[in-house]
Amino acid sequence: MTLRCSILFLSFELALIATCMTIKRETSTIVARSSWNSLGCYTDNVSGRALPNSEAVPGGSAAMTNEACQSTCLAAGFSIAGTEYGRECWCGNALVNGGAPVSDGCNMACNGNSAETCGGSNRLNVYQDTSPSTPTSTGKRGLVYNNNNPAANAEYADLFKGYSKISWGYDWGFPSFGLDASFEFVPMLWGLPSGSDPAWTAAVQTPGTKSILGYNEPDLTYSGSSNILPAAAAAGYETYMEPFSSSVKISTPNVLWNNVGSSSGGAYDSKTWMQYFMGNCTCHFDFAAIHYYQDCFPADGQSGAAWFQGNVTDAYQRLGLPVWITEFQCYGTDAQQVAFLQSVLPWLDAQSYVARYAYFGVFPDYLVNTAGTGLSDIGIAFATT
Ligand SMILES: *[C@@H]1O[C@H](CO)[C@@H](O)[C@H](O)[C@H]1NC(C)=O
Ligand SMILES: *[C@@H]1O[C@H](CO)[C@@H](O)[C@H](O)[C@H]1NC(C)=O
Ligand SMILES: *[C@@H]1O[C@H](CO)[C@@H](O)[C@H](O)[C@H]1NC(C)=O
Protein backbone atom coordinates (compact mmCIF):
# COMPACT_ATOMS: atom_id res chain seq x y z
CA MET A 1 0.00 0.00 0.00
CA THR A 2 1.56 3.29 -1.05
CA LEU A 3 1.02 6.57 0.74
CA ARG A 4 -1.11 7.64 -2.16
CA CYS A 5 -3.37 4.66 -1.76
CA SER A 6 -3.60 5.03 1.99
CA ILE A 7 -5.11 8.51 1.81
CA LEU A 8 -8.10 6.95 0.18
CA PHE A 9 -9.05 5.34 3.42
CA LEU A 10 -10.12 8.81 4.46
CA SER A 11 -13.12 8.19 2.38
CA PHE A 12 -14.58 5.00 1.18
CA GLU A 13 -13.03 1.64 0.60
CA LEU A 14 -14.34 1.17 -2.93
CA ALA A 15 -12.45 4.28 -4.02
CA LEU A 16 -9.34 2.10 -4.03
CA ILE A 17 -10.54 0.55 -7.25
CA ALA A 18 -9.87 3.80 -9.01
CA THR A 19 -6.16 3.99 -8.16
CA CYS A 20 -5.10 1.73 -11.01
CA MET A 21 -6.89 3.43 -13.87
CA THR A 22 -5.26 3.82 -17.25
CA ILE A 23 -4.58 7.34 -18.42
CA LYS A 24 -6.14 8.27 -21.73
CA ARG A 25 -6.11 11.71 -23.21
CA GLU A 26 -9.49 13.28 -23.78
CA THR A 27 -9.95 15.58 -26.72
CA SER A 28 -12.77 17.98 -27.30
CA THR A 29 -14.04 20.20 -30.06
CA ILE A 30 -12.62 23.66 -30.47
CA VAL A 31 -15.22 26.39 -30.62
CA ALA A 32 -14.04 29.56 -32.32
CA ARG A 33 -14.92 32.75 -30.48
CA SER A 34 -15.83 35.97 -32.21
CA SER A 35 -15.50 38.06 -29.07
CA TRP A 36 -11.72 37.88 -28.66
CA ASN A 37 -10.01 41.18 -29.43
CA SER A 38 -6.34 41.36 -30.32
CA LEU A 39 -4.25 43.32 -27.83
CA GLY A 40 -1.16 42.96 -30.00
CA CYS A 41 2.27 41.48 -29.38
CA TYR A 42 3.79 41.55 -25.88
CA THR A 43 7.11 40.56 -24.34
CA ASP A 44 6.99 37.42 -22.24
CA ASN A 45 9.28 37.23 -19.22
CA VAL A 46 10.28 33.56 -19.15
CA SER A 47 11.30 33.62 -15.48
CA GLY A 48 7.83 34.92 -14.56
CA ARG A 49 5.43 34.49 -17.43
CA ALA A 50 3.49 37.54 -18.55
CA LEU A 51 0.49 35.19 -18.53
CA PRO A 52 0.85 32.61 -15.79
CA ASN A 53 -1.19 29.51 -16.64
CA SER A 54 -0.39 27.37 -19.66
CA GLU A 55 -3.35 25.22 -20.47
CA ALA A 56 -3.58 21.90 -22.30
CA VAL A 57 -4.95 22.61 -25.76
CA PRO A 58 -6.70 19.62 -27.35
CA GLY A 59 -4.39 18.21 -30.01
CA GLY A 60 -1.35 19.68 -28.26
CA SER A 61 1.27 22.05 -29.62
CA ALA A 62 1.08 20.61 -33.15
CA ALA A 63 -2.51 21.86 -33.42
CA MET A 64 -1.89 25.31 -31.93
CA THR A 65 -3.89 28.21 -33.31
CA ASN A 66 -5.03 31.40 -31.61
CA GLU A 67 -8.60 30.11 -31.57
CA ALA A 68 -7.57 26.84 -29.94
CA CYS A 69 -5.70 28.74 -27.25
CA GLN A 70 -8.56 31.17 -26.72
CA SER A 71 -11.23 28.54 -26.28
CA THR A 72 -9.02 26.55 -23.92
CA CYS A 73 -8.38 29.64 -21.80
CA LEU A 74 -12.05 30.58 -21.87
CA ALA A 75 -13.10 27.12 -20.73
CA ALA A 76 -10.59 27.34 -17.90
CA GLY A 77 -12.16 30.60 -16.74
CA PHE A 78 -9.57 33.05 -18.05
CA SER A 79 -10.23 36.20 -20.06
CA ILE A 80 -6.81 36.68 -21.66
CA ALA A 81 -5.08 34.21 -24.01
CA GLY A 82 -1.63 34.44 -25.54
CA THR A 83 0.19 32.22 -28.02
CA GLU A 84 3.97 31.96 -28.15
CA TYR A 85 6.71 30.29 -30.15
CA GLY A 86 4.22 28.99 -32.71
CA ARG A 87 3.02 26.29 -30.36
CA GLU A 88 2.45 27.43 -26.76
CA CYS A 89 -0.68 28.77 -25.11
CA TRP A 90 -0.77 30.88 -21.97
CA CYS A 91 -3.85 32.05 -20.09
CA GLY A 92 -4.44 34.71 -17.48
CA ASN A 93 -6.67 37.53 -16.38
CA ALA A 94 -4.06 40.28 -16.56
CA LEU A 95 -0.60 40.83 -18.03
CA VAL A 96 1.96 40.56 -15.26
CA ASN A 97 5.74 40.39 -14.77
CA GLY A 98 6.67 43.16 -17.15
CA GLY A 99 4.64 42.08 -20.19
CA ALA A 100 5.00 45.11 -22.48
CA PRO A 101 3.99 45.83 -26.10
CA VAL A 102 6.62 44.94 -28.73
CA SER A 103 6.73 47.49 -31.51
CA ASP A 104 7.90 45.19 -34.30
CA GLY A 105 5.24 42.59 -33.56
CA CYS A 106 4.96 38.82 -33.40
CA ASN A 107 6.38 36.75 -36.19
CA MET A 108 6.02 32.96 -35.78
CA ALA A 109 3.44 30.99 -37.75
CA CYS A 110 1.06 28.85 -35.71
CA ASN A 111 1.85 25.13 -35.83
CA GLY A 112 -1.83 24.40 -36.45
CA ASN A 113 -2.33 27.06 -39.14
CA SER A 114 0.61 28.64 -40.93
CA ALA A 115 -1.60 31.49 -42.15
CA GLU A 116 -1.78 33.03 -38.67
CA THR A 117 0.80 34.19 -36.14
CA CYS A 118 1.31 32.55 -32.75
CA GLY A 119 3.70 34.91 -31.01
CA GLY A 120 7.45 34.62 -31.36
CA SER A 121 10.50 33.88 -29.26
CA ASN A 122 9.50 35.16 -25.81
CA ARG A 123 6.75 37.12 -27.51
CA LEU A 124 3.08 36.60 -26.92
CA ASN A 125 0.27 37.23 -29.35
CA VAL A 126 -2.30 38.41 -26.82
CA TYR A 127 -6.11 38.38 -27.08
CA GLN A 128 -8.76 39.44 -24.59
CA ASP A 129 -12.24 37.97 -24.32
CA THR A 130 -14.79 40.76 -24.40
CA SER A 131 -17.93 38.62 -24.32
CA PRO A 132 -20.25 39.32 -21.39
CA SER A 133 -20.69 35.58 -20.88
CA THR A 134 -17.22 34.68 -19.62
CA PRO A 135 -17.96 31.77 -17.28
CA THR A 136 -17.89 32.65 -13.63
CA SER A 137 -18.41 30.61 -10.51
CA THR A 138 -21.86 29.40 -9.57
CA GLY A 139 -20.41 29.20 -6.07
CA LYS A 140 -21.16 25.47 -6.09
CA ARG A 141 -17.98 23.78 -7.24
CA GLY A 142 -15.34 22.96 -4.63
CA LEU A 143 -12.29 20.92 -3.71
CA VAL A 144 -12.00 17.99 -1.34
CA TYR A 145 -8.31 17.83 -0.47
CA ASN A 146 -5.90 17.03 2.34
CA ASN A 147 -2.27 17.76 3.20
CA ASN A 148 -0.78 14.48 1.95
CA ASN A 149 1.97 16.04 -0.15
CA PRO A 150 5.70 16.58 0.48
CA ALA A 151 5.13 20.05 1.94
CA ALA A 152 2.12 18.89 4.03
CA ASN A 153 0.06 21.84 2.87
CA ALA A 154 -2.78 22.70 0.48
CA GLU A 155 -0.54 22.89 -2.60
CA TYR A 156 -2.57 20.40 -4.66
CA ALA A 157 -5.77 22.32 -4.01
CA ASP A 158 -3.97 25.56 -4.87
CA LEU A 159 -3.27 24.19 -8.38
CA PHE A 160 -6.92 25.12 -9.01
CA LYS A 161 -6.24 28.79 -8.25
CA GLY A 162 -7.41 30.98 -11.10
CA TYR A 163 -10.06 28.53 -12.30
CA SER A 164 -13.05 30.77 -11.81
CA LYS A 165 -15.58 27.94 -11.50
CA ILE A 166 -13.93 26.62 -8.33
CA SER A 167 -14.78 28.68 -5.28
CA TRP A 168 -14.41 26.66 -2.07
CA GLY A 169 -12.68 23.72 -0.42
CA TYR A 170 -12.65 21.46 2.60
CA ASP A 171 -10.15 18.92 3.94
CA TRP A 172 -12.19 16.66 6.29
CA GLY A 173 -11.17 18.80 9.20
CA PHE A 174 -9.44 21.99 10.20
CA PRO A 175 -7.18 23.96 9.75
CA SER A 176 -7.03 24.59 6.00
CA PHE A 177 -3.28 23.86 5.72
CA GLY A 178 -2.85 27.22 4.03
CA LEU A 179 -5.55 26.93 1.34
CA ASP A 180 -5.25 29.94 -0.98
CA ALA A 181 -7.37 32.85 0.22
CA SER A 182 -9.20 32.96 -3.12
CA PHE A 183 -11.11 29.86 -1.96
CA GLU A 184 -13.68 29.78 0.84
CA PHE A 185 -12.55 27.19 3.40
CA VAL A 186 -15.30 25.14 5.06
CA PRO A 187 -14.27 23.47 8.35
CA MET A 188 -15.53 19.97 9.12
CA LEU A 189 -16.05 18.30 12.49
CA TRP A 190 -14.91 14.86 11.32
CA GLY A 191 -16.22 12.84 14.27
CA LEU A 192 -17.01 12.93 17.94
CA PRO A 193 -13.52 12.93 19.51
CA SER A 194 -12.48 16.16 17.80
CA GLY A 195 -15.53 18.08 19.02
CA SER A 196 -14.06 19.14 22.32
CA ASP A 197 -10.91 20.48 20.66
CA PRO A 198 -10.79 24.26 21.28
CA ALA A 199 -9.36 24.58 17.78
CA TRP A 200 -12.79 23.52 16.48
CA THR A 201 -14.44 26.53 18.08
CA ALA A 202 -11.61 28.71 16.75
CA ALA A 203 -12.02 27.31 13.23
CA VAL A 204 -15.77 27.95 13.25
CA GLN A 205 -15.24 31.47 14.55
CA THR A 206 -12.48 32.34 12.04
CA PRO A 207 -13.67 35.34 10.01
CA GLY A 208 -14.80 34.17 6.59
CA THR A 209 -16.30 30.89 7.84
CA LYS A 210 -19.82 30.82 6.47
CA SER A 211 -20.72 27.13 6.72
CA ILE A 212 -19.58 24.11 8.73
CA LEU A 213 -19.72 20.42 7.88
CA GLY A 214 -20.62 17.69 10.37
CA TYR A 215 -19.35 14.14 10.70
CA ASN A 216 -17.68 12.29 7.83
CA GLU A 217 -19.53 9.06 7.04
CA PRO A 218 -20.78 8.28 10.57
CA ASP A 219 -23.01 5.71 8.85
CA LEU A 220 -20.01 3.62 7.75
CA THR A 221 -17.35 1.48 9.38
CA TYR A 222 -14.59 1.90 6.82
CA SER A 223 -11.26 3.22 8.03
CA GLY A 224 -11.65 6.96 7.57
CA SER A 225 -15.38 6.82 8.30
CA SER A 226 -16.38 8.14 11.71
CA ASN A 227 -18.76 5.25 12.56
CA ILE A 228 -21.12 6.75 15.15
CA LEU A 229 -24.57 5.45 16.12
CA PRO A 230 -27.41 7.91 15.46
CA ALA A 231 -28.29 8.70 19.08
CA ALA A 232 -24.67 9.39 20.05
CA ALA A 233 -24.15 11.38 16.87
CA ALA A 234 -27.18 13.53 17.68
CA ALA A 235 -25.99 14.22 21.23
CA GLY A 236 -22.61 15.30 19.85
CA TYR A 237 -24.27 17.58 17.31
CA GLU A 238 -26.25 19.31 20.00
CA THR A 239 -23.02 19.97 21.91
CA TYR A 240 -20.50 20.77 19.18
CA MET A 241 -22.42 21.97 16.11
CA GLU A 242 -25.72 23.56 17.14
CA PRO A 243 -24.23 26.27 19.41
CA PHE A 244 -22.94 27.90 16.21
CA SER A 245 -26.28 27.92 14.41
CA SER A 246 -26.76 31.66 14.74
CA SER A 247 -23.44 32.51 13.10
CA VAL A 248 -22.83 29.85 10.41
CA LYS A 249 -24.81 27.45 8.23
CA ILE A 250 -24.84 23.91 9.55
CA SER A 251 -24.84 20.68 7.53
CA THR A 252 -26.31 17.34 8.36
CA PRO A 253 -23.74 14.57 8.83
CA ASN A 254 -22.12 13.49 5.54
CA VAL A 255 -23.58 10.08 4.70
CA LEU A 256 -23.16 7.78 1.68
CA TRP A 257 -26.60 8.26 0.18
CA ASN A 258 -26.58 5.33 -2.24
CA ASN A 259 -25.40 2.87 0.40
CA VAL A 260 -27.95 0.08 0.82
CA GLY A 261 -27.98 -3.23 2.62
CA SER A 262 -24.94 -2.48 4.72
CA SER A 263 -24.63 -3.12 8.43
CA SER A 264 -22.38 -0.13 8.92
CA GLY A 265 -23.22 2.28 11.69
CA GLY A 266 -25.89 -0.08 13.00
CA ALA A 267 -28.03 -2.71 11.32
CA TYR A 268 -29.56 -0.32 8.81
CA ASP A 269 -28.63 1.53 5.64
CA SER A 270 -27.48 5.12 5.31
CA LYS A 271 -30.89 6.68 4.64
CA THR A 272 -32.23 5.00 7.79
CA TRP A 273 -29.15 6.17 9.72
CA MET A 274 -30.02 9.73 8.71
CA GLN A 275 -33.69 9.27 9.64
CA TYR A 276 -32.74 8.01 13.13
CA PHE A 277 -30.21 10.79 13.52
CA MET A 278 -32.84 13.41 12.63
CA GLY A 279 -35.25 11.74 15.06
CA ASN A 280 -32.73 12.00 17.89
CA CYS A 281 -31.43 15.51 17.25
CA THR A 282 -33.05 18.69 18.51
CA CYS A 283 -31.22 20.50 15.77
CA HIS A 284 -31.49 23.11 13.07
CA PHE A 285 -29.94 22.19 9.72
CA ASP A 286 -29.28 24.57 6.86
CA PHE A 287 -28.27 21.98 4.29
CA ALA A 288 -27.83 18.25 3.72
CA ALA A 289 -24.45 16.68 2.97
CA ILE A 290 -24.19 13.42 1.03
CA HIS A 291 -21.61 11.21 -0.68
CA TYR A 292 -22.09 9.08 -3.79
CA TYR A 293 -19.82 6.42 -5.35
CA GLN A 294 -20.83 4.13 -8.20
CA ASP A 295 -19.89 3.04 -11.74
CA CYS A 296 -19.63 5.69 -14.47
CA PHE A 297 -21.16 3.35 -17.02
CA PRO A 298 -22.78 0.32 -15.33
CA ALA A 299 -22.21 -2.96 -17.17
CA ASP A 300 -25.92 -3.59 -17.61
CA GLY A 301 -26.29 -0.51 -19.78
CA GLN A 302 -27.96 1.67 -17.17
CA SER A 303 -26.81 5.28 -16.87
CA GLY A 304 -24.36 6.13 -14.09
CA ALA A 305 -25.23 9.80 -14.55
CA ALA A 306 -28.94 9.06 -14.13
CA TRP A 307 -28.25 7.05 -10.97
CA PHE A 308 -26.25 9.90 -9.53
CA GLN A 309 -28.89 12.49 -10.43
CA GLY A 310 -31.60 10.22 -8.99
CA ASN A 311 -29.77 9.94 -5.69
CA VAL A 312 -29.16 13.69 -5.41
CA THR A 313 -32.82 14.39 -6.13
CA ASP A 314 -33.86 11.69 -3.67
CA ALA A 315 -31.78 13.28 -0.89
CA TYR A 316 -33.43 16.62 -1.54
CA GLN A 317 -36.92 15.14 -1.58
CA ARG A 318 -36.44 13.12 1.61
CA LEU A 319 -34.59 15.73 3.64
CA GLY A 320 -36.14 18.91 2.26
CA LEU A 321 -32.83 20.75 2.48
CA PRO A 322 -30.42 22.23 -0.10
CA VAL A 323 -27.92 19.49 -0.93
CA TRP A 324 -24.12 19.55 -0.81
CA ILE A 325 -22.50 16.51 -2.45
CA THR A 326 -19.25 16.64 -0.47
CA GLU A 327 -17.74 13.55 -2.10
CA PHE A 328 -18.73 11.89 -5.32
CA GLN A 329 -16.92 9.82 -7.86
CA CYS A 330 -17.79 7.39 -10.57
CA TYR A 331 -15.69 4.30 -11.11
CA GLY A 332 -14.22 4.00 -14.57
CA THR A 333 -11.33 5.00 -16.80
CA ASP A 334 -10.18 8.61 -16.88
CA ALA A 335 -12.09 9.11 -20.14
CA GLN A 336 -15.26 7.65 -18.59
CA GLN A 337 -14.96 9.92 -15.57
CA VAL A 338 -14.46 12.94 -17.84
CA ALA A 339 -17.58 11.97 -19.82
CA PHE A 340 -19.54 11.51 -16.58
CA LEU A 341 -18.46 14.96 -15.34
CA GLN A 342 -19.34 16.58 -18.65
CA SER A 343 -22.78 15.07 -18.28
CA VAL A 344 -23.54 15.79 -14.63
CA LEU A 345 -21.79 19.14 -13.97
CA PRO A 346 -24.18 21.23 -16.11
CA TRP A 347 -27.06 19.38 -14.45
CA LEU A 348 -25.73 20.12 -10.95
CA ASP A 349 -25.27 23.78 -11.84
CA ALA A 350 -28.84 23.96 -13.13
CA GLN A 351 -30.58 22.43 -10.08
CA SER A 352 -31.62 25.12 -7.61
CA TYR A 353 -31.57 22.66 -4.69
CA VAL A 354 -27.95 21.63 -5.34
CA ALA A 355 -25.95 24.14 -3.32
CA ARG A 356 -22.42 22.77 -3.59
CA TYR A 357 -20.45 19.77 -4.77
CA ALA A 358 -16.89 18.38 -4.76
CA TYR A 359 -15.64 15.53 -6.96
CA PHE A 360 -13.29 13.05 -5.24
CA GLY A 361 -10.60 14.17 -4.89
CA VAL A 362 -7.65 16.55 -5.09
CA PHE A 363 -4.88 13.92 -5.13
CA PRO A 364 -2.32 12.68 -7.67
CA ASP A 365 -3.97 10.32 -10.21
CA TYR A 366 -7.37 11.76 -9.36
CA LEU A 367 -7.96 15.47 -10.05
CA VAL A 368 -4.20 16.09 -9.99
CA ASN A 369 -1.65 14.57 -12.36
CA THR A 370 0.64 11.72 -11.28
CA ALA A 371 3.58 14.05 -10.61
CA GLY A 372 1.46 16.37 -8.48
CA THR A 373 2.46 19.34 -10.63
CA GLY A 374 -0.79 20.19 -12.42
CA LEU A 375 -4.33 19.11 -13.12
CA SER A 376 -5.15 15.69 -14.59
CA ASP A 377 -7.65 15.33 -17.43
CA ILE A 378 -10.30 14.67 -14.79
CA GLY A 379 -9.18 17.78 -12.91
CA ILE A 380 -9.38 19.90 -16.07
CA ALA A 381 -12.88 18.55 -16.78
CA PHE A 382 -13.98 19.32 -13.22
CA ALA A 383 -12.47 22.81 -13.30
CA THR A 384 -13.63 23.85 -16.75
CA THR A 385 -16.78 22.01 -17.86
C1 LIG B 1 10.25 38.66 -14.55
O1 LIG B 1 9.64 37.79 -13.58
C2 LIG B 1 10.36 37.75 -12.36
C3 LIG B 1 9.71 36.65 -11.52
O2 LIG B 1 8.36 36.93 -11.29
C4 LIG B 1 10.38 39.11 -11.71
O3 LIG B 1 11.13 39.04 -10.51
C5 LIG B 1 10.99 40.12 -12.65
O4 LIG B 1 10.89 41.41 -12.09
C6 LIG B 1 10.29 40.09 -13.99
N1 LIG B 1 10.96 40.97 -14.95
C7 LIG B 1 10.38 42.07 -15.44
C8 LIG B 1 11.18 42.79 -16.48
O5 LIG B 1 9.29 42.46 -15.08
C1 LIG C 1 -32.61 7.34 17.88
O1 LIG C 1 -31.54 6.56 17.39
C2 LIG C 1 -31.66 5.19 17.70
C3 LIG C 1 -30.41 4.50 17.15
O2 LIG C 1 -29.25 5.12 17.62
C4 LIG C 1 -32.91 4.59 17.10
O3 LIG C 1 -33.07 3.26 17.50
C5 LIG C 1 -34.13 5.41 17.55
O4 LIG C 1 -35.27 4.95 16.84
C6 LIG C 1 -33.90 6.87 17.20
N1 LIG C 1 -35.02 7.66 17.67
C7 LIG C 1 -35.80 8.37 16.86
C8 LIG C 1 -36.91 9.16 17.52
O5 LIG C 1 -35.67 8.37 15.65
C1 LIG D 1 -29.01 5.54 -6.49
O1 LIG D 1 -27.84 4.88 -6.95
C2 LIG D 1 -27.98 3.48 -7.04
C3 LIG D 1 -26.63 2.94 -7.49
O2 LIG D 1 -25.72 3.02 -6.42
C4 LIG D 1 -29.08 3.12 -8.01
O3 LIG D 1 -29.25 1.72 -8.05
C5 LIG D 1 -30.37 3.77 -7.57
O4 LIG D 1 -31.36 3.52 -8.53
C6 LIG D 1 -30.18 5.26 -7.41
N1 LIG D 1 -31.38 5.86 -6.85
C7 LIG D 1 -32.16 6.68 -7.54
C8 LIG D 1 -33.35 7.20 -6.79
O5 LIG D 1 -31.96 7.01 -8.68
Side-chain angles (χ1 to χ4, degrees):
M1 183 70 50
T2 65
L3 182 66
R4 198 169 64 234
C5 282
S6 65
I7 59 167
L8 301 175
F9 283 117
L10 273 172
S11 178
F12 175 48
E13 192 171 68
L14 286 179
L16 286 171
I17 293 167
T19 54
C20 304
M21 295 178 310
T22 52
I23 306 293
K24 199 165 157 233
R25 186 129 196 100
E26 185 74 3
T27 54
S28 56
T29 316
I30 301 292
V31 181
R33 303 283 306 181
S34 57
S35 52
W36 287 84
N37 282 354
S38 173
L39 297 185
C41 190
Y42 282 75
T43 55
D44 189 27
N45 172 0
V46 288
S47 62
R49 292 289 186 185
L51 292 172
N53 295 64
S54 181
E55 303 307 327
V57 169
S61 59
M64 190 58 62
T65 63
N66 287 295
E67 292 71 23
C69 179
Q70 288 158 11
S71 57
T72 301
C73 292
L74 184 76
F78 295 101
S79 59
I80 298 184
T83 51
E84 185 168 352
Y85 219 75
R87 63 184 181 220
E88 295 171 359
C89 171
W90 303 92
C91 311
N93 289 312
L95 282 160
V96 294
N97 288 324
V102 183
S103 57
D104 58 348
C106 287
N107 51 19
M108 279 192 190
C110 300
N111 278 2
N113 178 5
S114 60
E116 59 180 286
T117 305
C118 283
S121 177
N122 299 335
R123 293 181 179 194
L124 282 164
N125 208 9
V126 180
Y127 292 81
Q128 183 163 37
D129 177 34
T130 55
S131 72
S133 59
T134 299
T136 52
S137 176
T138 59
K140 297 186 181 188
R141 207 170 291 182
L143 306 169
V144 51
Y145 70 98
N146 63 15
N147 66 337
N148 275 7
N149 59 65
N153 61 15
E155 68 179 49
Y156 294 155
D158 288 348
L159 294 170
F160 288 82
K161 189 180 172 184
Y163 287 87
S164 61
K165 293 190 173 187
I166 311 275
S167 59
W168 66 281
Y170 83 100
D171 59 7
W172 288 287
F174 54 91
S176 75
F177 303 119
L179 181 68
D180 189 83
S182 59
F183 302 115
E184 176 196 338
F185 178 68
V186 181
M188 170 185 269
L189 184 66
W190 179 85
L192 274 176
S194 52
S196 53
D197 184 344
W200 169 242
T201 301
V204 178
Q205 293 175 341
T206 297
T209 302
K210 297 174 190 153
S211 302
I212 57 175
L213 292 164
Y215 313 136
N216 183 60
E217 299 183 347
D219 53 319
L220 299 176
T221 54
Y222 297 116
S223 168
S225 305
S226 61
N227 184 22
I228 313 167
L229 289 171
Y237 245 67
E238 289 169 1
T239 308
Y240 302 120
M241 296 287 288
E242 288 299 314
F244 302 110
S245 65
S246 61
S247 57
V248 292
K249 293 192 167 169
I250 295 183
S251 80
T252 65
N254 296 248
V255 301
L256 182 62
W257 198 253
N258 62 320
N259 178 48
V260 289
S262 154
S263 62
S264 51
Y268 30 75
D269 67 26
S270 298
K271 291 183 184 72
T272 309
W273 189 100
M274 189 71 107
Q275 184 192 324
Y276 286 161
F277 170 81
M278 294 282 192
N280 278 273
C281 206
T282 308
C283 294
H284 165 81
F285 302 106
D286 296 288
F287 59 97
I290 63 166
H291 293 177
Y292 176 91
Y293 288 87
Q294 197 42 274
D295 294 342
C296 304
F297 295 92
D300 60 5
Q302 294 192 63
S303 163
W307 278 357
F308 171 68
Q309 292 163 359
N311 278 271
V312 172
T313 305
D314 181 66
Y316 170 66
Q317 288 170 347
R318 286 176 194 251
L319 302 173
L321 292 165
V323 178
W324 290 32
I325 305 105
T326 47
E327 285 181 32
F328 72 110
Q329 188 195 16
C330 75
Y331 302 131
T333 63
D334 284 24
Q336 288 175 329
Q337 293 190 61
V338 167
F340 175 87
L341 285 172
Q342 289 171 342
S343 168
V344 304
L345 294 180
W347 180 85
L348 288 167
D349 287 340
Q351 306 312 304
S352 59
Y353 55 84
V354 174
R356 298 199 187 188
Y357 55 85
Y359 193 70
F360 187 88
V362 181
F363 320 111
D365 293 328
Y366 285 73
L367 297 186
V368 173
N369 65 21
T370 304
T373 55
L375 308 194
S376 65
D377 286 359
I378 299 170
I380 290 170
F382 184 66
T384 66
T385 297

